[in-house]
Amino acid sequence: MTVGTLGFYSDFDDFQTWKQALQAQLPALQVVHAGQTERPEEIDYAMVWKPPQGIFERMTKLRLIINLGAGVDSLVGRDDLPPNIPITRITDPQMARMMAGYVLFAVLRHARDIPLFEQAQRAGQWTYRHPRSPEDITVAVLGLGQLGAKAAHEIQRQGFRTLGWSRSQAQIDGVECSAGMETLDAVIGQADIVVLMLPLTPQTKQIFDRTRLEKLRPGAAFINVARGALVDQAAMTQLLQSGHIGAATLDVFEREPLPAEDALWRLPNVLITPHLASVAIPSSSARQIAANILRVSAGELPDNIIEPSRGY
C-alpha cells in the first residue's frame, strides 16, 4: 500500500527517532526532512514544530499539516498556511498524563511549602512549618481542554478544593467549574495556587496582565505550563520580588530560551524548567499520526482538526 511522503521539520525533536516511530506504524510511508529535501513537491503530509516562514510554498501536493504538539499557536498565527489544508494537533493520552504529573508535582510542592524548606536548606537552617490539610487549600486550573481536564482531575483526587475555569462550560467530577471572562477574577481570587493551562489566542494573550496578577491572593503560588505570552512577565517578576505572588513554577516564558540575564533566574521563590511539562512521545503519538494519514489517504477527514480562526 502506498501512503505517500511525510515531511518532518522541528529544531527541537530528533528526526531519526520520529522517522523510526512513524515507519513502525506505516512501513510504506516515506519520511523526509522537510528542511533538507530537494523535492518538497512530493510531500503529502507535513509534520512540523515552529517551521520557518515559506516552508509550505513548494509543497504543492500537501494534504495534511500535523502540529508536533498540543499547542498550535505557533502555526495558526502565520500568513503562509496553504488554504483548505486541514491542520491537526497531537492529543496523545501519554501527553496528558505527562502534563498532569508535572502539574501535580508543582501543586504538591507549593501545597507542602517545599520552596520554603529548599531556601532553609541552602541557608543551613532547620525551619519547621506545620503541613496544611489539602481540603484547606484551593487550587484553580485555568483551561480545561484535554490536558487541563486531566490535571484538574488528578488535583481533586488528592483532596484539594479544585476550581476549574474555561471559556465555555465544562464538567469534571469533583471540580467546581466556571466559564466566561466575567467569572475569571472571582475564580483566581479564591485560589491559593493558580495553574495556567489556557491556549494562546488573540483573546488570551497577556490575559494575566498586571491588573489581573494583582487580583491573586497575596502570597498565592502561580504555575504556568501553557505559554509565556499569556502573562505580563515583567509585572509577574515584580510581584514575585515584592512577595504578592508568593512563589512560582514556570515552564514557559515570553522568550525561550529564557535569557541568562533575566531576573527570574535569580529569584529564590521561582522554579524554572525548560518547556518540558508535556512533550509528544514518538512511540505513542505515531499511532495517532498514522491513523490520520490513513484517513487522509483514503479521502476522509482526519481527527483532531483545529480551527485557525479560533486558535485551537
Side-chain angles (χ1 to χ4, degrees):
M1 177 182 178
T2 301
V3 291
T5 298
L6 179 140
F8 174 95
Y9 187 94
S10 172
D11 287 333
F12 303 89
D13 301 273
D14 183 68
F15 169 65
Q16 290 298 332
T17 300
W18 275 101
K19 180 178 180 178
Q20 292 171 10
L22 290 165
Q23 290 184 329
Q25 299 296 320
L26 291 175
L29 180 69
Q30 298 296 312
V31 181
V32 300
H33 195 293
Q36 299 172 4
T37 181
E38 296 179 355
R39 303 184 68 85
E41 67 276 6
E42 295 183 353
I43 291 175
D44 301 280
Y45 324 100
M47 187 168 77
V48 297
W49 180 252
K50 297 184 176 180
Q53 190 76 8
I55 192 172
F56 305 112
E57 184 177 349
R58 294 177 57 199
M59 298 182 187
T60 53
K61 287 178 58 183
L62 195 62
R63 303 172 66 188
L64 175 67
I65 298 173
I66 303 154
N67 185 68
L68 190 50
V72 296
D73 49 279
S74 65
L75 264 184
V76 297
R78 301 168 66 104
D79 60 8
D80 66 337
L81 291 175
N84 304 317
I85 301 297
I87 301 173
T88 66
R89 60 186 177 86
I90 294 176
T91 59
D92 183 356
Q94 295 287 358
M95 293 178 66
R97 188 175 296 116
M98 183 184 293
M99 177 63 84
Y102 181 102
V103 170
L104 185 58
F105 148 75
V107 166
L108 290 172
R109 180 173 175 270
H110 291 300
R112 292 301 305 267
D113 298 309
I114 300 303
L116 171 73
F117 303 128
E118 291 170 340
Q119 293 178 46
Q121 177 182 337
R122 287 191 288 268
Q125 298 174 348
W126 184 271
T127 299
Y128 184 86
R129 178 177 290 179
H130 197 72
R132 295 172 287 173
S133 179
E135 58 264 25
D136 294 332
I137 299 172
T138 298
V139 182
V141 178
L142 312 180
L144 299 174
Q146 184 195 27
L147 302 186
K150 176 72 172 176
H153 174 72
E154 291 299 322
I155 291 165
Q156 65 84 26
R157 285 183 64 241
Q158 298 297 316
F160 296 102
R161 180 188 176 216
T162 306
L163 311 180
W165 182 89
S166 52
R167 290 179 60 188
S168 54
Q169 190 64 45
Q171 290 188 332
I172 303 169
D173 287 346
V175 179
E176 301 173 40
C177 295
S178 301
M181 287 300 301
E182 67 278 6
T183 67
L184 177 56
D185 291 343
V187 170
I188 65 174
Q190 300 176 63
D192 301 291
I193 302 171
V194 172
V195 184
L196 190 50
M197 303 190 70
L198 293 166
L200 177 60
T201 69
Q203 291 73 36
T204 61
K205 186 174 183 180
Q206 293 228 340
I207 190 171
F208 270 84
D209 56 11
R210 177 178 291 276
T211 299
R212 182 155 283 119
L213 287 167
E214 289 176 343
K215 291 179 180 177
L216 293 171
R217 280 185 175 181
F222 189 69
I223 300 166
N224 189 1
V225 292
R227 289 292 186 269
L230 296 168
V231 182
D232 181 338
Q233 188 166 301
M236 178 185 66
T237 301
Q238 292 169 2
L239 291 170
L240 282 161
Q241 291 169 328
S242 72
H244 180 80
I245 301 177
T249 299
L250 305 173
D251 188 54
V252 291
F253 305 90
E254 287 179 346
R255 288 180 56 194
E256 296 179 4
L258 183 66
E261 66 275 11
D262 196 287
L264 285 170
W265 286 113
R266 295 177 291 280
L267 294 185
N269 54 346
V270 174
L271 174 64
I272 290 170
T273 56
H275 203 147
L276 49 63
S278 181
V279 298
I281 302 170
S283 59
S284 55
S285 298
R287 290 192 288 271
Q288 177 193 121
I289 296 166
N292 268 340
I293 287 173
L294 289 176
R295 288 188 185 94
V296 171
S297 67
E300 302 171 5
L301 285 175
D303 286 339
N304 305 308
I305 294 178
I306 65 100
E307 296 181 24
S309 61
R310 190 173 62 181
Y312 56 93

